[in-house]
Amino acid sequence: MKLMFNKVLKIVKAMVFLGLLFFFSNAYAQPRVISGKIIDAADASALPGVNVVIKGTTTGVISNLLGEYTIQVSGDDAILIFSYIGYEKLEQSVAGISILDVNLKQETTALDELVVIGYGTVRKSDLTGSVSSVKGDDLIKIPSSNPLMALQGKVSGVQVSSSSGEPGGAAIVRVRGVGTLNNTNPIFVVDGVILDDVSFLNTNDIASIEALKDASATAIYGSRGANGVFIITTKMGGFGKEAQVNFKSELSVQKLQKEIDVLSGREFAEVLNEITPGTINNLDAVADYDWQESIFQENPLIKSYDLSFMGGSDKMGYYLGAGVYDQDGIIPKSTYKRYNFKLNTDYQIKKNIKVGSNMSASYIDDDNAPNVVISAYRAWPIDEPYDANNNFAEVRGTGNPLAAIEYSNSNSKNLRLINNTYIELTLLKDIKLKSSYQLDYSAQREKIFSPEYYVSPTQQVTRNSLSLDFTEDRRWIWENTASYYKEIGEHRINAVAGITAQELYYESPGMTVNRLINEDPTFWYVNAALSDTVYVGDSPYETSMSSFLGRVNYSFNGKYLFTASFRADGSSKFESNNQWGYFPTFATGWNISDEDFFPEVDAIDNLKIRASWGIIGNEKISWNDRYSLIGNDFGAVFGSPELIQSGATFSGTGNDLLTWESTYQTNLGFELNAFSNKFTAEVDFYRKETKDILVYLSVPGYYGFGSYAKVRFNAANVLNRGMELNLGWREKKGDFFYSFNVLATTVHNEVLELGATSPSDSIIYAGSLSNGQRVTATTVGNSIGYFLGYRIQGVFQNQDDLDTYPSIYGQKIGDLIYEDVVKDGVINEKDKVEIGSPIPDLIYGFSATLGYKKFSVSMDFQGQYGNEIYNGKNQTRFSLYNFEGKVRDRWNGEGSSNTEPKITSLGGNYQTSDYFIENGSYLRLRTLLISYDLPEKLMEKAGLGKSIIYLRGTNIFTLSSYSGYSPDIGGFDPLSTGIDQGIYPITSAYSLGINVTF
Amino acid sequence: MKIYVYSLILILLMSTSCEDFLDKAPKGNLTSGNFPGNADEALLAVNGVYNTLRIWNFNTGGFPIIDIMSDEVRKGSNAGDAIWLNVYDDFTFDQGATDFESWWATLYQGIRRANLIVEKVPGLQDLDEDLKTQYIAEARFLRAFFYFELVRTFGDVPKVLSITPETSLSRSPVDEIYNEIIIPDMEFGVLNLPQKDEYPLKDMGRITSGTCSGMLAKVYLYRKDFINAEKYAMEVIDSKKYSLDPDFSNALSVEGEFGTGSVFEVGAAAEGFNEGGNQYANTISVRGTPNLGWGFGRPTYELIQEFGSDPRADATILFVGEVLDGVEIEGDISTPDTTYTDETKTEILEVECYNQKVYTPGDEPRYSFGHNRRLLRYADVLLMAAEALNENDKPVEALFYVNLVRERARGGNENILPDITQRNKDLLRDLIIDERHFELALEGHRFYDLVRTGKAEEVLGPLGFKKGTHELMPVPLSEINISEGKISQNDGYDL
């Protein structure tokens, strides 16, 4: 496209130059005839039906079938306006010329661009739902194995956060807040295939991602739409398109963004002496070992190579892509390699029959990182990793992190095949019947080997073990749809109806054996085990769903838009009496600027108002909640010698009355295009309320369901509401082009009902730290999973304070004073209050691109505001660990500090409190990209086409007061997010890449 | 025209749909309803009742809270670990304490598993009648045992005799639970279960007739029915199926598992729970080096002193610095070797030491999962016999049995633990309780013994025990809340 743009630009420049010349030499009016040919700038095809109008008049003609026109103008100062639907408007002076050939360029920001929606496409101007679109070019700006990470700060209403910085780490995506207490992940529809996860997908193969947000857009997905839907379209060649080969290579270097400030060896020794006087006699002799530095690799690389072929003949189109992504993690033994293969084909086998298939294959070889982030954080800096004999030495507090890396061997290999084959019949011109069969097959093998070793009494394994787990996840969907499209005068109807069925099969047999005959990797097989004890397990299940769907889009005169859709889903997860859910939606849109009464404001190109209401569901619940199962893991040990005898009894209690969670969503949106489409603005207000959310409620202990046994009921109710804003400006001026984008999202999240059967159910505690302390709570009237703890009132400065304020667990002078909120003279659970929320008030992003000739620079900023992070790793202390730097300001006598207590390693100061709350707001320079188009002539000589070389930085800086590696901390469980328990650091990366097309 | 044919085929395909498609049964899993449906499943279900005894929460909710309440044990571990357990050291717990909730629920879980046998096994056609009776007797004893734990801890409790729980029960009086469940269930076991040596070797550890008699003796002691207590204790003794292992330490060691003195013992393997492990000892055993456990339930300094020269101390308390099986007990780096009551360090509060009765050789936590918890030892039966005989004015016989226990404790050293000769009923009663204190220390008996003999206030008062309240534990608050008050609270706990 850029190539064509440059050509047009050249022609235009030449014309303007010539025009000016004539203007000055021949500056008087004189009627005459202008003629010429209008062609498409892209493929030079003639454009019939183009409007040619003399500016400032109503005089005009239309080009003929060959694209030719003839028009009479009054004089040299006349300007011709060429306009054609789907093409950019062009104005041309006629000074001094009689033949004016014109190249029209297809409009890229056109309102009539097609937007992909569920089971079809719709013109942007006819859209009644809230849909945001991201193009593939924007996605490949992030060197990440997961394409979703590239959506961070790119789509309003969507929050993307990291579960971990580990290579291959999952992205956590939330659309318009957290609408349920259960699985709140959106679904992904990749070339029509409905998936739960797209981490296998090669970003390079993606043409666009559309985020469907409101009910109008998502309700066609019925029970799967409530958490939002992302429609991902992969690249495709077109019929008759010339072959295009693209090669891309990128090399990135990763850097740790920052180290966590912990005490040095000497500082730690001083602290030890404060806790137990006389522990270290000579402070000058202690070691000072930086454990963080020891576990992080320097400059680990990401290498990626992509090769793709795209094109077509007159009866077929194809895209063939192959890619390799190879990332070394910042922690040793966390390498991630992925090989992708993609083949999309379309064949027009008969005049009205089209068949095609979209196939992806991926193979992932992933070393799972050893869990050492937290141990490096805790390790005593006065301990060294190796003893005099160069063996691993005991590291107090936590075990030797380097030994943990050495002895960790965990690898998973995953093969995933996805295929969607379809046949489409065109019937009576307006009706299309389509049948598609989709298969998603994933096979995984995970192997974990732990050798026999001894580092210290608490870090040893006395018998080696090998675990081998297989996972098979196989699902198919068969969709049959009929669609109808008709334009009759001012009426435009676009309808679709269909029946779908799907089935999912899952099985994950696994086994663990002990005492391999040899520890060499060539013996990491279960037949090498000497011990005859084999631990086995499996968790098979099968679910199915069948659905009926339908949607009608109707637009009148391009001004009045209506959409109604309906889906009925039946799921095997529910008992037959309650297994069907019905999900309707209604939406309307009004292109108000097209109305006659709308004031003639030149600046405004289009203004649209749209509104929608609908019900959508969430079927992402466990398959077995309805069943009361008998488990067979309940054996008893008898005999001499002792042996376990199998046993079986009740295991879990189901509820056969369960049914769908449903989300009622309303949306009001405004879209504005102005200043010749240079400015775009989109504002949406949304309100979504999810009812019948599945929650576990307590049952009496005497029922005998077991300790803390709860049973699931449809009982809770959650509200999310807020606003989304998306502003853009893009303009080209000569060789200079630039664009700006701003987006912002607000979320107000509130639990309206928890369906408490007992006061103990009126609060859901979650956010368990590894020591069992729970730091989040969910209650009616608050946001989901807020942090619940004590408020710090100060530090006990003296005996007076200790006598005045209540204390707990034998607190002494110098310890934290917790606020006695209920003022009953004791500190207990009742005094815990909301001390923060992991849900940001505002999620935002802004970006700018500046280009001049062959250079362009773009920047993406992304951030969030108003959320808190719970520094759980600092609170979790089973033993004496190293401390964070803030203890340097600790209390050491009356008046010394009223915020930082005296040093203690355990006990009263380590209660859940706002001492561990930190500000989670941040602003991050997500990417900075500098690219240069290599000189065309040079490339042509080399037989290549347009080629780009670029330099890019990712996560270059983060403005944040958070003490941990990165403030980007997510969590899959909506009840337990924003808690840092030692997250694998998210790195910054610097990349050099080349992208060659020929 | 062809296109219409294709379309027709497609349309026909589209309309195929069937209801069965949405019916997906669990895979590899039985669902409740028809289980147990045959003889094999019946045995599985019986083993499932025994399985309850290895559930962590079965052991007083998980942590040894009842021991912590006694004068033998303090919270343990290091000062900052599981600090919520401090409330059991000074009796400041309230009805919201969740340890009671999980304990209560687990006991009822065992009851439901037992009720499954009682309800379903009689109807099984392919099960041999003798085996049927045995299975039912095993399940009924265990049900009675769970109820006994409930009533001696919580007093009145809901009476559940079915797997389909009634939805709005209130508490039934203690007497009703004893008379309608505990005593008949245990008597049924006495009559219908084999003796210890009548089981095949592979079934060692199943409930025996002797287990039932021994537990009945205990039940009657709690009922202060000393005639029956004597009767059932003597049944165990007279059966001659049990004796005291000459070595006291073997009564609890790994070597002594299912030994001659084992009346009721929970078999466990040094594995995870599913493979037969029991986390009971792991909760209590040495913290740090060797890494055997969490170190909760530390023997009190007072207990150490009271033992004096009693050699049983050696097998009861494991001190830091001791060397066992070639492994030096180093303990936990975060626990001070000695903790004082105040800054001046004059009075010792506790010293770092551990419960040796749950010690397992080895230096990995896994090994402590293999400890067999002893729920009833022959020494306990002898002391119960002595206690009942004394109450029944048979001091000579009483002295004989208490001195059997002392003799074994003496280990051949005639200079210590002389035979007791006291025949005054009241004084002898105290001496027998003291003997239980030393013989059965740290095994979960002390607190209950003090309560049932009315000595709790005297011994535990200084720790915070309040007469009229702490004889019983609070009914879990959750239970009261869910029942909307139909379940009542014990005196002194309702706020």
Side-chain angles (χ1 to χ4, degrees):
Chain A
M1 268 329 245
K2 248 182 196 168
L3 195 70
M4 297 157 203
F5 171 72
N6 285 345
K7 271 184 194 158
V8 175
L9 216 61
K10 265 184 221 158
I11 294 166
V12 172
K13 273 189 294 184
M15 288 175 175
V16 170
F17 177 69
L18 289 171
L20 285 175
L21 208 68
F22 279 96
F23 179 79
F24 287 113
S25 61
N26 196 3
Y28 53 89
Q30 184 183 336
R32 56 200 180 83
V33 172
I34 308 286
S35 64
K37 188 176 178 184
I38 306 166
I39 57 170
D40 183 323
D43 59 7
S45 61
L47 290 176
V50 177
N51 274 305
V52 186
V53 182
I54 300 167
K55 194 172 181 180
T57 73
T58 52
T59 317
V61 296
I62 286 176
S63 63
N64 65 17
L65 270 177
L66 298 171
E68 295 160 350
Y69 73 97
T70 305
I71 192 169
Q72 192 169 17
V73 299
S74 56
D76 267 1
D77 56 348
I79 289 172
L80 294 184
I81 301 173
F82 299 85
S83 65
Y84 189 52
I85 285 177
Y87 287 78
E88 284 180 6
K89 212 187 262 186
L90 185 69
E91 295 189 12
Q92 213 63 105
S93 162
V94 297
I97 49 172
S98 56
I99 295 174
L100 178 58
D101 292 342
V102 180
N103 296 0
L104 285 189
K105 194 168 170 275
Q106 277 187 20
E107 206 164 32
T108 48
T109 58
L111 289 166
D112 289 320
E113 130 185 33
L114 289 178
V115 176
V116 183
I117 56 173
Y119 302 97
T121 54
V122 67
R123 291 172 195 230
K124 174 86 171 144
S125 61
D126 282 358
L127 192 64
T128 56
S130 174
V131 176
S132 300
S133 195
V134 180
K135 296 291 171 215
D137 292 349
D138 272 337
L139 295 172
I140 49 182
K141 280 185 182 171
I142 306 289
S144 166
S145 62
N146 194 325
L148 299 174
M149 287 313 298
L151 292 177
Q152 226 170 20
K154 286 284 173 198
V155 187
S156 63
V158 174
Q159 182 188 17
V160 181
S161 50
S162 309
S163 59
S164 154
E166 184 176 352
I172 296 161
V173 181
R174 300 280 173 261
V175 178
R176 293 187 162 176
V178 180
T180 172
L181 308 173
N182 305 305
N183 188 328
T184 182
N185 298 322
I187 58 161
F188 305 93
V189 182
V190 181
D191 297 324
V193 186
I194 299 174
L195 304 171
D196 291 330
D197 155 60
V198 289
S199 57
F200 70 95
L201 210 58
N202 183 359
T203 312
N204 210 50
D205 292 332
I206 297 176
S208 70
I209 298 183
E210 336 276 335
L212 314 187
K213 297 178 289 192
D214 73 341
S216 165
T218 61
I220 196 74
Y221 291 104
S223 65
R224 279 167 295 204
N227 297 327
V229 178
F230 288 84
I231 297 190
I232 298 178
T233 310
T234 60
K235 288 176 181 165
M236 184 62 202
F239 294 149
K241 285 277 166 70
E242 212 178 302
Q244 197 184 62
V245 182
N246 181 274
F247 175 72
K248 193 175 145 255
S249 168
E250 186 178 297
L251 181 69
S252 310
V253 176
Q254 301 165 85
K255 300 269 183 200
L256 188 68
Q257 295 190 64
K258 68 186 254 204
E259 268 194 21
I260 296 173
D261 179 23
V262 292
L263 296 186
S264 68
R266 190 194 167 95
E267 288 168 333
F268 181 71
E270 285 169 6
V271 161
L272 274 186
N273 281 347
E274 280 175 40
I275 294 171
T276 316
T279 309
I280 307 284
N281 293 319
N282 186 355
L283 289 176
D284 296 321
V286 296
D288 179 19
Y289 195 78
D290 183 344
W291 283 105
Q292 291 182 74
E293 199 186 318
S294 81
I295 63 160
F296 294 126
Q297 314 201 83
E298 263 181 62
N299 304 329
L301 297 180
I302 306 174
K303 289 170 274 190
S304 76
Y305 310 98
D306 292 290
L307 179 64
S308 68
F309 306 87
M310 186 159 91
S313 67
D314 57 341
K315 292 250 164 71
M316 72 137 351
Y318 65 87
Y319 173 84
L320 172 62
V324 179
Y325 179 90
D326 180 350
Q327 179 175 8
D328 281 334
I330 192 115
I331 293 173
K333 291 192 174 178
S334 58
T335 303
Y336 177 91
K337 289 195 192 95
R338 189 181 63 205
Y339 307 90
N340 278 92
F341 177 78
K342 182 98 187 93
L343 177 63
N344 292 343
T345 47
D346 274 342
Y347 306 91
Q348 191 78 49
I349 56 170
K350 286 267 158 57
K351 197 170 126 257
N352 36 24
I353 303 179
K354 207 165 107 176
V355 297
S357 102
N358 303 94
M359 203 204 90
S360 330
S362 71
Y363 179 73
I364 296 170
D365 183 349
D366 186 11
D367 283 336
N368 304 310
N371 186 15
V372 293
V373 176
I374 188 75
S375 48
Y377 167 83
R378 290 170 170 171
W380 287 21
I382 58 172
D383 286 348
E384 305 250 15
Y386 303 103
D387 63 17
N389 301 323
N390 220 22
N391 293 322
F392 286 118
E394 174 173 8
V395 174
R396 284 167 287 181
T398 179
N400 188 328
L402 294 184
I405 293 174
E406 173 69 27
Y407 298 126
S408 157
N409 301 289
S410 171
N411 175 278
S412 64
K413 292 181 170 43
N414 179 290
L415 173 69
R416 189 157 182 190
L417 299 170
I418 294 176
N419 187 45
N420 179 12
T421 304
Y422 74 88
I423 175 163
E424 188 181 80
L425 311 180
T426 307
L427 204 65
L428 303 170
K429 230 171 98 189
D430 306 316
I431 299 176
K432 280 182 178 153
L433 299 180
K434 186 174 180 181
S435 180
S436 67
Y437 185 81
Q438 306 157 6
L439 191 69
D440 176 3
Y441 177 84
S442 161
Q444 177 158 310
R445 188 194 75 187
E446 188 167 28
K447 206 175 235 190
I448 299 171
F449 175 72
S450 170
E452 200 177 303
Y453 62 87
Y454 180 91
V455 178
S456 67
T458 50
Q459 191 179 16
Q460 57 163 319
V461 169
T462 55
R463 50 177 187 178
N464 64 41
S465 70
L466 175 76
S467 311
L468 186 59
D469 287 283
F470 294 93
T471 305
E472 182 186 346
D473 185 319
R474 159 160 61 79
R475 31 187 112 188
W476 59 259
I477 303 180
W478 188 25
E479 291 183 336
N480 294 293
T481 55
S483 55
Y484 175 76
Y485 180 82
K486 187 88 181 167
E487 286 184 50
I488 311 163
E490 313 276 60
H491 310 275
R492 195 152 56 216
I493 294 176
N494 188 344
V496 66
I499 301 176
T500 81
Q502 76 172 76
E503 197 168 50
L504 182 157
Y505 177 87
Y506 179 91
E507 189 175 353
S508 60
M511 66 198 90
T512 300
V513 295
N514 294 114
R515 302 207 296 125
L516 299 195
I517 190 165
N518 185 306
E519 297 197 338
D520 188 83
T522 56
F523 288 84
W524 293 358
Y525 298 93
V526 290
N527 54 334
L530 293 174
S531 158
D532 49 10
T533 315
V534 183
Y535 307 85
V536 294
D538 195 359
S539 51
Y541 64 89
E542 194 170 21
T543 62
S544 58
M545 186 187 261
S546 69
S547 318
F548 301 90
L549 60 94
R551 178 182 56 218
V552 178
N553 287 321
Y554 168 73
S555 84
F556 177 70
N557 209 3
K559 281 191 279 195
Y560 311 107
L561 320 167
F562 300 96
T563 304
S565 79
F566 176 77
R567 182 163 182 145
D569 281 329
S571 167
S572 65
K573 292 176 184 175
F574 306 112
E575 201 81 5
S576 59
N577 292 335
N578 11 330
Q579 67 189 173
W580 284 91
Y582 306 99
F583 307 99
T585 178
F586 303 97
T588 176
W590 184 17
N591 282 311
I592 191 172
S593 55
D594 291 352
E595 292 290 353
D596 294 338
F597 64 77
F598 194 80
E600 281 287 331
V601 184
D602 269 355
I604 293 179
D605 302 312
N606 186 55
L607 174 64
K608 180 160 94 180
I609 302 173
R610 49 181 167 69
S612 72
W613 174 89
I615 305 174
I616 30 191
N618 179 19
E619 61 93 44
K620 288 193 175 177
I621 65 159
S622 163
W623 66 276
N624 59 0
D625 280 334
R626 60 180 264 210
Y627 294 110
S628 298
L629 301 175
I630 297 292
N632 52 12
D633 256 349
F634 300 101
V637 176
F638 298 116
S640 180
E642 288 183 314
L643 277 176
I644 185 158
Q645 292 187 16
S646 303
T649 193
F650 304 107
S651 144
T653 306
N655 177 357
D656 52 17
L657 299 176
L658 291 183
T659 189
W660 303 91
E661 295 183 355
S662 28
T663 299
Y664 294 71
Q665 185 166 192
T666 38
N667 190 81
L668 179 64
F670 302 89
E671 290 171 27
L672 173 71
N673 292 49
F675 306 108
S676 310
N677 289 322
K678 287 194 285 253
F679 175 72
T680 53
E682 210 165 322
V683 186
D684 277 277
F685 299 89
Y686 65 90
R687 182 185 194 281
K688 63 177 202 181
E689 188 179 333
T690 309
K691 298 180 181 177
D692 292 334
I693 294 175
L694 295 173
V695 278
Y696 288 104
L697 297 180
S698 304
V699 290
Y702 70 73
Y703 277 17
F705 294 172
S707 71
Y708 303 118
K710 294 195 169 197
V711 176
R712 272 202 154 173
F713 292 91
N714 289 96
N717 194 345
V718 169
L719 170 73
N720 285 279
R721 62 178 154 77
M723 190 197 77
E724 293 165 12
L725 176 71
N726 210 333
L727 302 176
W729 180 279
R730 57 164 68 209
E731 192 173 10
K732 298 174 196 107
K733 277 190 171 166
D735 285 345
F736 187 68
F737 59 93
Y738 65 97
S739 68
F740 298 105
N741 256 298
V742 177
L743 57 88
T745 309
T746 67
V747 178
H748 167 87
N749 176 277
E750 188 180 339
V751 177
L752 301 179
E753 213 179 308
L754 277 181
T757 52
S758 98
S760 61
D761 290 328
S762 63
I763 181 161
I764 301 175
Y765 294 104
S768 290
L769 303 180
S770 50
N771 63 358
Q773 283 174 310
R774 294 182 290 190
V775 304
T776 71
T778 300
T779 51
V780 170
N782 294 82
S783 63
I784 290 177
Y786 63 87
F787 300 123
L788 181 77
Y790 298 123
R791 265 202 301 256
I792 304 296
Q793 215 175 2
V795 171
F796 290 110
Q797 299 295 339
N798 48 41
Q799 190 60 42
D800 267 4
D801 281 354
L802 202 55
D803 296 341
T804 312
Y805 304 108
S807 61
I808 51 170
Y809 305 131
Q811 283 182 308
K812 301 202 170 74
I813 295 168
D815 286 335
L816 292 171
I817 305 173
Y818 297 123
E819 188 182 332
D820 180 16
V821 175
V822 298
K823 307 219 178 316
D824 58 357
V826 286
I827 300 294
N828 58 23
E829 286 293 314
K830 290 176 214 150
D831 297 307
K832 288 188 173 173
V833 292
E834 175 170 3
I835 50 176
S837 168
I839 300 178
D841 300 323
L842 176 69
I843 306 161
Y844 61 93
F846 50 92
S847 59
T849 302
L850 304 170
Y852 180 73
K853 287 189 174 171
K854 295 179 183 304
F855 283 99
S856 82
V857 177
S858 70
M859 278 172 286
D860 290 312
F861 290 87
Q862 167 257 328
Q864 54 190 44
Y865 174 79
N867 62 306
E868 279 80 30
I869 294 173
Y870 198 83
N871 189 353
K873 61 183 186 299
N874 192 12
Q875 181 179 346
T876 321
R877 292 176 179 269
F878 297 101
S879 181
L880 180 54
Y881 303 139
N882 198 3
F883 293 89
E884 289 195 8
K886 67 176 180 175
V887 306
R888 292 187 192 105
D889 304 321
R890 64 191 172 273
W891 186 91
N892 57 10
E894 191 165 345
S896 54
S897 171
N898 206 29
T899 52
E900 197 55 44
K902 74 167 190 237
I903 206 86
T904 51
S905 76
L906 297 156
N909 293 339
Y910 292 94
Q911 300 307 298
T912 304
S913 75
D914 57 7
Y915 179 78
F916 300 103
I917 289 282
E918 296 192 40
N919 188 341
S921 305
Y922 71 90
L923 169 62
R924 175 158 75 175
L925 176 51
R926 185 77 170 118
T927 55
L928 173 63
L929 174 71
I930 303 169
S931 73
Y932 174 70
D933 295 358
L934 293 172
E936 276 160 44
K937 278 188 182 153
L938 194 73
M939 300 314 290
E940 269 164 30
K941 265 187 199 163
L944 302 174
K946 182 184 164 68
S947 301
I948 304 168
I949 183 162
Y950 59 88
L951 268 172
R952 183 182 53 215
T954 308
N955 298 338
I956 295 173
F957 72 83
T958 307
L959 290 178
S960 158
S961 63
Y962 182 56
S963 63
Y965 292 115
S966 160
D968 176 10
I969 290 169
F972 274 109
D973 175 5
L975 302 175
S976 315
T977 61
I979 305 163
D980 185 355
Q981 302 210 59
I983 187 172
Y984 189 114
I986 292 160
T987 54
S988 51
Y990 298 89
S991 318
L992 174 65
I994 183 160
N995 190 344
V996 182
T997 308
F998 50 90
Chain B
M1 208 50 218
K2 254 193 218 156
I3 189 78
Y4 294 100
V5 179
Y6 294 141
S7 307
L8 197 67
I9 295 170
L10 256 185
I11 289 165
L12 283 174
L13 283 173
M14 284 179 184
S15 49
T16 46
S17 152
C18 58
E19 280 302 305
D20 292 348
F21 180 67
L22 293 181
D23 188 16
K24 302 285 181 205
K27 304 211 168 307
N29 249 316
L30 295 167
T31 49
S32 57
N34 301 320
F35 178 84
N38 57 44
D40 291 342
E41 289 181 1
L43 176 60
L44 292 175
V46 170
N47 291 344
V49 191
Y50 280 95
N51 175 274
T52 317
L53 302 170
R54 281 194 295 111
I55 296 178
W56 186 66
N57 303 104
F58 162 76
N59 306 297
T60 66
F63 293 98
I65 59 170
I66 292 289
D67 274 335
I68 294 171
M69 285 182 221
S70 78
D71 55 337
E72 290 174 348
V73 162
R74 285 177 55 77
K75 188 208 82 184
S77 185
N78 53 46
D81 197 14
I83 36 192
W84 69 85
L85 296 174
N86 285 325
V87 295
Y88 303 110
D89 255 332
D90 58 8
F91 291 91
T92 53
F93 53 87
D94 61 25
Q95 57 179 347
T98 53
D99 301 278
F100 296 118
E101 185 182 333
S102 49
W103 187 12
W104 165 291
T106 305
L107 292 171
Y108 273 107
Q109 189 175 17
I111 288 166
R112 184 166 188 240
R113 291 174 177 190
N115 283 336
L116 179 68
I117 307 299
V118 178
E119 209 166 300
K120 300 271 187 177
V121 167
L124 296 179
Q125 303 296 328
D126 66 336
L127 184 58
D128 170 79
E129 282 303 318
D130 288 349
L131 217 45
K132 197 180 268 185
T133 310
Q134 184 198 315
Y135 288 169
I136 294 168
E138 287 179 82
R140 284 185 64 180
F141 169 81
L142 288 168
R143 176 171 74 178
F145 176 68
F146 298 136
Y147 269 112
F148 179 54
E149 285 279 284
L150 281 168
V151 290
R152 70 173 178 159
T153 307
F154 300 102
D156 302 344
V157 293
K159 189 170 93 180
V160 181
L161 291 168
S162 152
I163 57 166
T164 321
E166 289 131 278
T167 49
S168 56
L169 288 180
S170 52
R171 296 164 74 190
S172 297
V174 171
D175 287 347
E176 188 179 327
I177 303 288
Y178 272 116
N179 294 329
E180 294 183 17
I181 303 174
I182 298 174
I183 292 169
D185 276 357
M186 288 189 177
E187 280 173 346
F188 186 80
V190 173
L191 296 175
N192 290 291
L193 283 171
Q195 283 293 0
K196 191 176 180 181
D197 53 3
E198 291 164 10
Y199 273 115
L201 214 51
K202 73 173 177 56
D203 281 328
M204 182 86 83
R206 287 189 183 277
I207 307 301
T208 65
S209 178
T211 317
C212 298
S213 303
M215 282 308 298
L216 257 182
K218 181 160 286 192
V219 164
Y220 281 117
L221 276 188
Y222 278 72
R223 305 286 293 153
K224 303 212 182 299
D225 178 345
F226 298 109
I227 302 297
N228 273 312
E230 180 190 326
K231 175 185 160 198
Y232 284 105
M234 291 314 295
E235 263 186 27
V236 179
I237 295 167
D238 293 341
S239 73
K240 309 253 185 281
K241 306 292 181 190
Y242 305 93
S243 63
L244 292 175
D245 188 304
D247 182 352
F248 170 76
S249 70
N250 266 346
L252 292 132
S253 68
V254 172
E255 260 173 59
E257 287 179 350
F258 294 132
T260 59
S262 167
V263 183
F264 185 14
E265 179 171 337
V266 183
E271 301 282 352
F273 175 77
N274 287 350
E275 291 81 35
N278 185 351
Q279 203 166 2
Y280 166 72
N282 178 254
T283 309
I284 298 167
S285 202
V286 182
R287 183 186 183 87
T289 310
N291 181 15
L292 291 175
W294 299 342
F296 288 99
R298 170 164 303 130
T300 55
Y301 189 61
E302 199 186 346
L303 178 68
I304 296 166
Q305 289 179 311
E306 283 172 350
F307 261 119
S309 60
D310 189 330
R312 284 174 292 193
D314 190 40
T316 304
I317 296 162
L318 186 53
F319 290 97
V320 170
E322 263 189 66
V323 177
L324 283 182
D325 311 310
V327 177
E328 189 189 339
I329 309 302
E330 290 175 35
D332 176 37
I333 47 172
S334 295
T335 304
D337 290 349
T338 307
T339 308
Y340 297 91
T341 53
D342 63 353
E343 302 281 332
T344 60
K345 299 193 175 177
T346 43
E347 202 180 322
I348 292 174
L349 180 68
E350 63 177 33
V351 295
E352 186 183 353
C353 62
Y354 297 91
N355 177 342
Q356 192 165 334
K357 287 183 166 178
V358 299
Y359 173 80
T360 46
D363 46 9
E364 260 194 287
R366 185 167 65 83
Y367 293 110
S368 62
F369 280 72
H371 169 80
N372 284 7
R373 185 177 174 197
R374 272 60 161 192
L375 289 169
L376 187 61
R377 296 204 277 120
Y378 188 52
D380 190 354
V381 176
L382 292 175
L383 292 171
M384 289 194 290
E387 192 177 337
L389 288 162
N390 180 48
E391 299 295 343
N392 294 334
D393 302 311
K394 300 174 187 168
V396 178
E397 288 109 310
L399 285 173
F400 174 74
Y401 291 117
V402 72
N403 283 331
L404 273 183
V405 173
R406 281 174 78 83
E407 186 191 341
R408 191 262 297 261
R410 219 177 281 144
N413 183 349
E414 295 302 328
N415 299 323
I416 50 169
L417 301 176
D419 277 353
I420 296 174
T421 52
Q422 180 59 257
R423 294 184 180 205
N424 175 294
K425 190 172 177 176
D426 290 336
L427 295 177
L428 181 52
R429 182 188 299 126
D430 287 357
L431 289 172
I432 292 169
I433 296 305
D434 280 353
E435 201 54 39
R436 292 181 66 82
H437 181 33
F438 297 117
E439 174 68 26
L440 304 171
L442 317 180
E443 293 180 52
H445 302 292
R446 176 67 171 172
F447 177 80
Y448 290 112
D449 282 345
L450 291 173
V451 170
R452 74 179 169 82
T453 56
K455 292 179 177 298
E457 192 189 17
E458 177 197 335
V459 178
L460 304 177
L463 300 175
F465 181 95
K466 278 191 213 65
K467 193 178 167 135
T469 296
H470 294 127
E471 288 85 359
L472 291 176
M473 297 301 126
V475 171
L477 182 60
S478 57
E479 207 70 358
I480 294 167
N481 285 335
I482 297 167
S483 75
E484 290 170 331
K486 284 194 196 70
I487 306 271
S488 59
Q489 186 51 281
N490 287 324
D491 289 348
Y493 291 108
D494 38 345
L495 296 171

